[in-house]
Amino acid sequence: IFNKNLNILFGNNGSGKTNILEGISLLAKGRGIRNTNITNLIKNKEESFKIKNILEINKNHYDIAIHSHKLNDKYKKIIKINDDLSKDSLQFLNQSISFLTFLPEMERLFQSSPTSRRNFLDRLIFSGRNDYNRLLNKYKKLLIERNKVLQNNGYDNNWLSQIEKEISNIGLEIYEARLSAIQLINDNINQLKISYKYKIELQMNDDFFNSELNIDRYILNLYDSRSFDKLYGGTKIGPHRSNITAKIDNEYEASLLSTGQQKTIILMILLAQCNILIEDKNINPILLLDEIGSHLDTYNRQLLLDMINRF
């Protein structure tokens, strides 16, 4: 029986701790916390996997069955809620649960690529906004479509202008969602009320974005960059070029801290997002933390336990 607040799994390496977390995470959209192929979720020499859950939502119990299904040599994940796999049931499930995760590879988030940090922030936004992934996917598809059109020497200018208008609209929405998320996280880190020795502030660095950016300026900049983008490929402006950084004491980057200190900061950001979901959106998230104790000294482990105990 799981405790409603905190559950700790411990055991030897390879005993299946992460597999349990992955099985829980498959309740959500996607391919679990490791984002692996469905075939990698199937036990060796078996043809499929099946996971059964009993989920309590607003004091009502739901039987959740998750299994793999092979069609035309491709696997997909199937979810049934009380033996119902309709879109309405899936929508209800997706709107009822929210996941936040920490994986070992996230320890060096501030030393990895800007793409990793953008994805980290976007997952935080998605935890409180169920349609956010669709917005990102549409934006990426529009960028690909624009690049293809630009490579065609005889392209339709009206068609390209319409694509750039859509890119501008969605790009601004993504910028605003990220900026809002960063401001809320910064505010809520302070509200955690813990005795951490550093002041942490997330920032969005983007040479293109500023407070005066509007739809007309965005469209004009895309128009002006057509020749450059056609020559070098890609799109040189937009939220896919942003970098998310963490400033420490308004002086230096978090990447200069030790691995354990960086890990503590990431966990503080996750708990700040928990606070936002609970207090601002009335969402009780499921927080999955894998290999949580490594690289943390006694001080930072106690700090982590104190933070988690508040929830």
Side-chain angles (χ1 to χ4, degrees):
I1 297 175
F2 286 107
N3 183 279
K4 67 177 182 178
N5 293 327
L6 175 64
N7 298 276
I8 299 174
L9 305 176
F10 61 93
N12 295 330
N13 292 342
S15 60
K17 301 184 297 295
T18 301
N19 287 345
I20 294 175
L21 297 184
E22 189 162 45
I24 295 171
S25 70
L26 286 169
L27 281 166
K29 284 183 177 180
R31 297 177 294 186
I33 56 174
R34 290 185 290 196
N35 196 32
T36 187
N37 291 328
I38 298 296
T39 52
N40 294 333
L41 300 174
I42 300 172
K43 189 176 180 180
N44 188 32
K45 298 182 181 179
E46 299 290 340
E47 294 183 355
S48 62
F49 75 81
K50 188 170 185 178
I51 301 169
K52 290 186 177 182
N53 304 274
I54 298 176
L55 189 65
E56 181 180 327
I57 303 172
N58 296 327
K59 297 184 178 180
N60 294 314
H61 290 83
Y62 298 88
D63 291 323
I64 314 294
I66 307 170
H67 69 273
S68 58
H69 177 68
K70 187 176 183 180
L71 181 64
N72 297 329
D73 293 328
K74 289 186 178 180
Y75 284 92
K76 63 183 297 186
K77 183 182 76 174
I78 304 294
I79 300 181
K80 289 185 179 180
I81 300 96
N82 293 337
D83 288 324
D84 182 7
L85 47 70
S86 66
K87 289 184 178 180
D88 289 341
S89 292
L90 286 175
Q91 186 175 9
F92 165 76
L93 180 64
N94 291 330
Q95 291 175 346
S96 300
I97 59 174
S98 178
F99 282 93
L100 291 168
T101 60
F102 176 86
L103 300 176
E105 55 264 31
M106 292 166 61
E107 289 179 349
R108 299 186 179 276
L109 179 70
F110 299 115
Q111 294 175 325
S112 60
S113 67
T115 300
S116 297
R117 290 187 288 277
R118 287 194 301 270
N119 290 341
F120 175 71
L121 180 62
D122 286 336
R123 285 193 298 271
L124 297 184
I125 298 171
F126 176 68
S127 69
R129 179 177 170 180
N130 200 252
D131 68 332
Y132 187 65
N133 271 8
R134 287 196 293 271
L135 189 75
L136 291 174
N137 289 335
K138 186 174 181 181
Y139 176 76
K140 292 173 184 175
K141 288 179 181 178
L142 286 167
L143 291 184
I144 292 171
E145 186 175 1
R146 177 177 181 266
N147 293 337
K148 288 181 178 179
V149 172
L150 284 173
Q151 298 308 314
N152 185 349
N153 292 325
Y155 63 75
D156 185 331
N157 189 66
N158 290 331
W159 181 21
L160 185 57
S161 295
Q162 181 59 37
I163 294 172
E164 290 174 344
K165 182 178 179 180
E166 289 188 62
I167 289 174
S168 301
N169 273 313
I170 296 176
L172 281 173
E173 191 173 349
I174 293 170
Y175 273 132
E176 291 166 3
R178 287 177 178 171
L179 195 61
S180 176
I182 287 172
Q183 291 171 341
L184 283 171
I185 289 168
N186 288 337
D187 291 342
N188 276 269
I189 283 179
N190 296 325
Q191 291 177 23
L192 291 175
K193 297 180 180 179
I194 56 173
S195 56
Y196 193 57
K197 52 189 174 184
Y198 299 112
K199 179 186 175 184
I200 306 158
E201 183 181 20
L202 290 185
Q203 297 178 351
M204 182 172 72
N205 302 323
D206 191 301
D207 293 335
F208 174 59
F209 179 79
N210 58 59
S211 59
E212 297 179 355
L213 182 63
N214 57 34
I215 185 69
D216 292 329
R217 290 188 179 186
Y218 202 134
I219 292 172
L220 181 60
N221 275 272
L222 283 175
Y223 178 85
D224 290 341
S225 67
R226 286 180 181 179
S227 297
F228 179 92
D229 293 341
K230 179 177 181 178
L231 182 62
Y232 294 100
T235 303
K236 71 174 183 177
I237 59 171
H240 60 290
R241 299 291 188 183
S242 299
N243 189 15
I244 311 300
T245 60
K247 205 78 170 181
I248 306 301
D249 292 338
N250 294 319
E251 292 182 5
Y252 52 90
E253 302 291 336
S255 58
L256 297 176
L257 296 174
S258 71
T259 301
Q261 289 171 322
Q262 291 181 50
K263 184 172 185 175
T264 299
I265 290 172
I266 295 165
L267 294 170
M268 289 175 66
I269 292 169
L270 287 171
L271 289 169
Q273 179 65 11
C274 281
N275 205 47
I276 293 166
L277 295 175
I278 293 165
E279 299 296 335
D280 295 353
K281 297 182 179 293
N282 196 30
I283 295 173
N284 292 317
I286 298 171
L287 182 58
L288 302 176
L289 308 174
D290 193 15
E291 293 291 342
I292 198 61
S294 61
H295 296 120
L296 295 183
D297 58 18
T298 302
Y299 170 80
N300 284 295
R301 285 194 184 199
Q302 188 61 50
L303 193 69
L304 170 64
L305 291 173
D306 290 343
M307 286 191 292
I308 292 177
N309 203 39
R310 294 175 188 272
F311 291 92

